[in-house]
Each structure stands twice: as C-alpha cells, then as structure tokens.
Amino acid sequence: MSDFLFARSQMAMSLAFHIVFAALGIGMPLLMAIAEWMYLRTNRPVYLDLCKRWAKGTAILFAVGAVSGTVLSFELGLLWPGFMEHAGAIIGMPFSLEGFAFFTEAIFLGVYLYGWKRVSPLIHWLSGVVVAISGILSGIFVVTANAWMNAPAGFKIVDGKFADIDPIAAMLNPAAFHEVVHMTLAAFVATGFMVAAVHAFFLLHDRSNPFHRAALG
C-alpha cells in the first residue's frame, strides 16, 4: 500500500468513526434541553428522569467525540502537510472558531452536569441551551471548511502561490450553505431516529413504561 493510499484509508476510518459521535453530539444536547424544558413546564418527574438520562449519554458522546475529533485535527497536519501548508491560512478561521465553540460547549456541559441544585432551574436550563447551540455551531464551522474543499473561494493564485486571502469569503463559499443545512438536519434526523428506536425497543417489552413513553412524546 502506498503512503498516499494509507493516508486516505486512515483518514477515512477516523472520519467514519468520528461522524457518528459528531452527529449525536449535535442532536442529543437539543433533546436534553427540550426534556428539561418540558419538566419545567409540566413539573412531571418523568421528564426530569429523561433529561438526566440523556445528559449522561450526551456527556459520554461528547467525550468520545472530542477525542476522535482531536485525532482528526492531528491527522490533517501529519497526513496532509502539503495541503495544510497552503490551505491552512485560508481555512484556519473555521477551525479556530470551532475551537471556541467546542470549549464553550465543554464549559457549559460541566455547568449542566454538576449544576443540579447549585444554580437556579432557569440558569441550568439555559446552560443546556448553550450546550446545544455550541454543538450546532461546532458542526457548522467544520462543515464550512469541508465545503471550501468542494468549492474553493477566498483567494487568488499569483505566480503559483496563494494571495489576497479572505477567510470570510472562504467560509462563505458557494457550497457552504447547503452543506451546513444538510449536515445539521441530517444530525437531528439521525439522532431522533436512533433515540426513538432505543426507546421503542424497550417499550415493546414494557408497554406501560412512562419513561419510554415520555421519550417518544
């Protein structure tokens, strides 16, 4: 196997693993926040149980996704140094912004997980909303970088070198909008079907279980 094919294979395996946790990491925080909002509205304990259970799942998915995403960031530099040498200055901004979104998500996820009875119910719920928004933004920023690879923009080539680099134009490339919409909606749909499938499976074995019934709406 050539170095080129090996690099592509390794990157493909890493991406295939990471995308599962990335998609769930976008969708689960929203479900978690919705469950707590339902609890605050109805004061039904089943929604609180659902929220706490989903919060634990979100934390695990976030941790695994963070590690696998870090591996991918190293692979970009180690496996594709030539590409990053030239493209890094162009698509570096969305990766930097993704870093800010990631750390925001991590901070507020900590508040959410350990803030029960330590902050007010409204602040606790809002921290969950921030987690959900940060997760969505992380996905958006990374997808804009991927979209740039499909529709390069924001630079000129002068004498064989990149010049007049505009990171904003690179982020807002022609492929960015529909790829962002596609990925975000796909993450929500995939997460929704997976969560529904799990709760439906257990509901088949206990049709009167209020926990799984609440999860399915």
Side-chain angles (χ1 to χ4, degrees):
M1 181 183 293
S2 66
D3 291 343
F4 177 66
L5 185 57
F6 181 82
R8 293 188 68 181
S9 300
Q10 183 174 343
M11 196 76 179
M13 290 178 61
S14 300
L15 283 167
F17 180 84
H18 176 69
I19 193 62
V20 176
F21 296 94
L24 294 174
I26 292 173
M28 283 302 299
L30 180 62
L31 294 179
M32 176 185 76
I34 291 174
E36 185 174 8
W37 177 67
M38 291 296 294
Y39 169 69
L40 294 176
R41 279 192 60 196
T42 65
N43 205 33
R44 291 178 58 190
V46 66
Y47 286 118
L48 180 61
D49 294 340
L50 191 62
C51 169
K52 289 185 175 182
R53 189 78 60 87
W54 282 348
K56 292 178 181 178
T58 298
I60 295 171
L61 293 169
F62 177 82
V64 178
V67 173
S68 58
T70 302
V71 170
L72 281 169
S73 66
F74 277 103
E75 286 181 347
L76 279 173
L78 293 173
L79 300 179
W80 313 106
F83 170 75
M84 292 306 296
E85 178 183 359
H86 298 290
I90 305 173
I91 59 173
M93 178 177 285
F95 286 119
S96 299
L97 293 174
E98 192 277 336
F100 281 107
F102 168 80
F103 284 112
T104 301
E105 184 178 6
I107 291 169
F108 281 91
L109 182 59
V111 173
Y112 193 87
L113 293 174
Y114 299 103
W116 296 101
K117 298 182 180 179
R118 290 183 172 87
V119 297
S120 68
L122 178 60
I123 295 299
H124 189 269
W125 175 71
L126 288 175
S127 67
V129 173
V130 173
V131 172
I133 294 174
S134 300
I136 294 170
L137 289 176
S138 291
I140 288 174
F141 291 135
V142 171
V143 170
T144 59
N146 179 79
W148 179 86
M149 299 181 197
N150 295 319
F155 67 95
K156 295 179 181 178
I157 297 180
V158 180
D159 297 329
K161 297 181 179 180
F162 291 101
D164 296 333
I165 294 174
D166 185 349
I168 301 297
M171 285 183 60
L172 302 178
N173 61 80
F177 178 76
H178 65 264
E179 286 197 23
V180 164
V181 172
H182 173 85
M183 180 61 212
T184 305
L185 293 180
F188 289 142
V189 171
T191 302
F193 272 107
M194 189 211 72
V195 172
V198 170
H199 288 286
F201 174 80
F202 286 106
L203 196 60
L204 287 174
H205 295 78
D206 184 4
R207 294 181 181 274
S208 61
N209 190 301
F211 178 80
H212 299 300
R213 284 193 173 277
L216 294 174

PDB file of all heavy atoms in Angstrom, residues 12 96 111-112 118 130 158 187 195:
ATOM      1  N   ALA A  12     -10.102   8.113   6.303  1.00  0.00           N
ATOM      2  CA  ALA A  12     -11.477   7.645   6.103  1.00  0.00           C
ATOM      3  C   ALA A  12     -11.986   6.896   7.329  1.00  0.00           C
ATOM      4  O   ALA A  12     -13.134   7.090   7.759  1.00  0.00           O
ATOM      5  CB  ALA A  12     -11.543   6.746   4.873  1.00  0.00           C
ATOM      6  N   SER A  96     -10.525  27.501  13.987  1.00  0.00           N
ATOM      7  CA  SER A  96     -10.333  28.273  15.218  1.00  0.00           C
ATOM      8  C   SER A  96     -11.671  28.568  15.892  1.00  0.00           C
ATOM      9  O   SER A  96     -11.808  28.437  17.117  1.00  0.00           O
ATOM     10  CB  SER A  96      -9.613  29.589  14.905  1.00  0.00           C
ATOM     11  OG  SER A  96      -8.334  29.352  14.356  1.00  0.00           O
ATOM     12  N   VAL A 111     -21.281  22.822  33.641  1.00  0.00           N
ATOM     13  CA  VAL A 111     -22.281  23.508  34.469  1.00  0.00           C
ATOM     14  C   VAL A 111     -23.571  22.697  34.503  1.00  0.00           C
ATOM     15  O   VAL A 111     -24.207  22.542  35.562  1.00  0.00           O
ATOM     16  CB  VAL A 111     -22.554  24.924  33.924  1.00  0.00           C
ATOM     17  CG1 VAL A 111     -23.710  25.578  34.681  1.00  0.00           C
ATOM     18  CG2 VAL A 111     -21.300  25.788  34.017  1.00  0.00           C
ATOM     19  N   TYR A 112     -23.944  22.161  33.353  1.00  0.00           N
ATOM     20  CA  TYR A 112     -25.202  21.417  33.267  1.00  0.00           C
ATOM     21  C   TYR A 112     -25.139  20.124  34.077  1.00  0.00           C
ATOM     22  O   TYR A 112     -26.075  19.798  34.814  1.00  0.00           O
ATOM     23  CB  TYR A 112     -25.509  21.095  31.803  1.00  0.00           C
ATOM     24  CG  TYR A 112     -26.922  20.623  31.586  1.00  0.00           C
ATOM     25  CD1 TYR A 112     -27.947  21.534  31.377  1.00  0.00           C
ATOM     26  CD2 TYR A 112     -27.238  19.272  31.611  1.00  0.00           C
ATOM     27  CE1 TYR A 112     -29.251  21.113  31.197  1.00  0.00           C
ATOM     28  CE2 TYR A 112     -28.534  18.837  31.431  1.00  0.00           C
ATOM     29  CZ  TYR A 112     -29.537  19.765  31.223  1.00  0.00           C
ATOM     30  OH  TYR A 112     -30.833  19.340  31.052  1.00  0.00           O
ATOM     31  N   ARG A 118     -27.385  23.581  42.252  1.00  0.00           N
ATOM     32  CA  ARG A 118     -26.354  24.582  42.545  1.00  0.00           C
ATOM     33  C   ARG A 118     -26.657  25.917  41.864  1.00  0.00           C
ATOM     34  O   ARG A 118     -26.155  26.952  42.299  1.00  0.00           O
ATOM     35  CB  ARG A 118     -24.972  24.074  42.115  1.00  0.00           C
ATOM     36  CG  ARG A 118     -24.445  22.931  42.972  1.00  0.00           C
ATOM     37  CD  ARG A 118     -23.042  22.529  42.528  1.00  0.00           C
ATOM     38  NE  ARG A 118     -22.440  21.565  43.441  1.00  0.00           N
ATOM     39  CZ  ARG A 118     -22.591  20.262  43.354  1.00  0.00           C
ATOM     40  NH1 ARG A 118     -23.342  19.749  42.370  1.00  0.00           N
ATOM     41  NH2 ARG A 118     -22.019  19.450  44.219  1.00  0.00           N
ATOM     42  N   VAL A 130     -27.204  26.520  25.775  1.00  0.00           N
ATOM     43  CA  VAL A 130     -25.890  26.935  25.267  1.00  0.00           C
ATOM     44  C   VAL A 130     -25.109  25.725  24.758  1.00  0.00           C
ATOM     45  O   VAL A 130     -24.434  25.796  23.724  1.00  0.00           O
ATOM     46  CB  VAL A 130     -25.090  27.676  26.360  1.00  0.00           C
ATOM     47  CG1 VAL A 130     -23.670  27.959  25.886  1.00  0.00           C
ATOM     48  CG2 VAL A 130     -25.783  28.971  26.737  1.00  0.00           C
ATOM     49  N   VAL A 158      -1.333  33.661  -7.480  1.00  0.00           N
ATOM     50  CA  VAL A 158      -0.427  34.575  -8.173  1.00  0.00           C
ATOM     51  C   VAL A 158       0.961  33.948  -8.205  1.00  0.00           C
ATOM     52  O   VAL A 158       1.545  33.668  -7.147  1.00  0.00           O
ATOM     53  CB  VAL A 158      -0.373  35.950  -7.469  1.00  0.00           C
ATOM     54  CG1 VAL A 158       0.583  36.882  -8.206  1.00  0.00           C
ATOM     55  CG2 VAL A 158      -1.764  36.564  -7.385  1.00  0.00           C
ATOM     56  N   ALA A 187     -28.014  15.451  11.129  1.00  0.00           N
ATOM     57  CA  ALA A 187     -27.642  15.099  12.503  1.00  0.00           C
ATOM     58  C   ALA A 187     -28.878  14.993  13.387  1.00  0.00           C
ATOM     59  O   ALA A 187     -29.003  14.055  14.193  1.00  0.00           O
ATOM     60  CB  ALA A 187     -26.675  16.140  13.065  1.00  0.00           C
ATOM     61  N   VAL A 195     -32.593   7.597  18.895  1.00  0.00           N
ATOM     62  CA  VAL A 195     -33.195   7.683  20.229  1.00  0.00           C
ATOM     63  C   VAL A 195     -34.582   7.042  20.224  1.00  0.00           C
ATOM     64  O   VAL A 195     -34.936   6.288  21.145  1.00  0.00           O
ATOM     65  CB  VAL A 195     -33.272   9.154  20.686  1.00  0.00           C
ATOM     66  CG1 VAL A 195     -34.078   9.282  21.973  1.00  0.00           C
ATOM     67  CG2 VAL A 195     -31.868   9.717  20.891  1.00  0.00           C
TER      68      VAL A 195
END
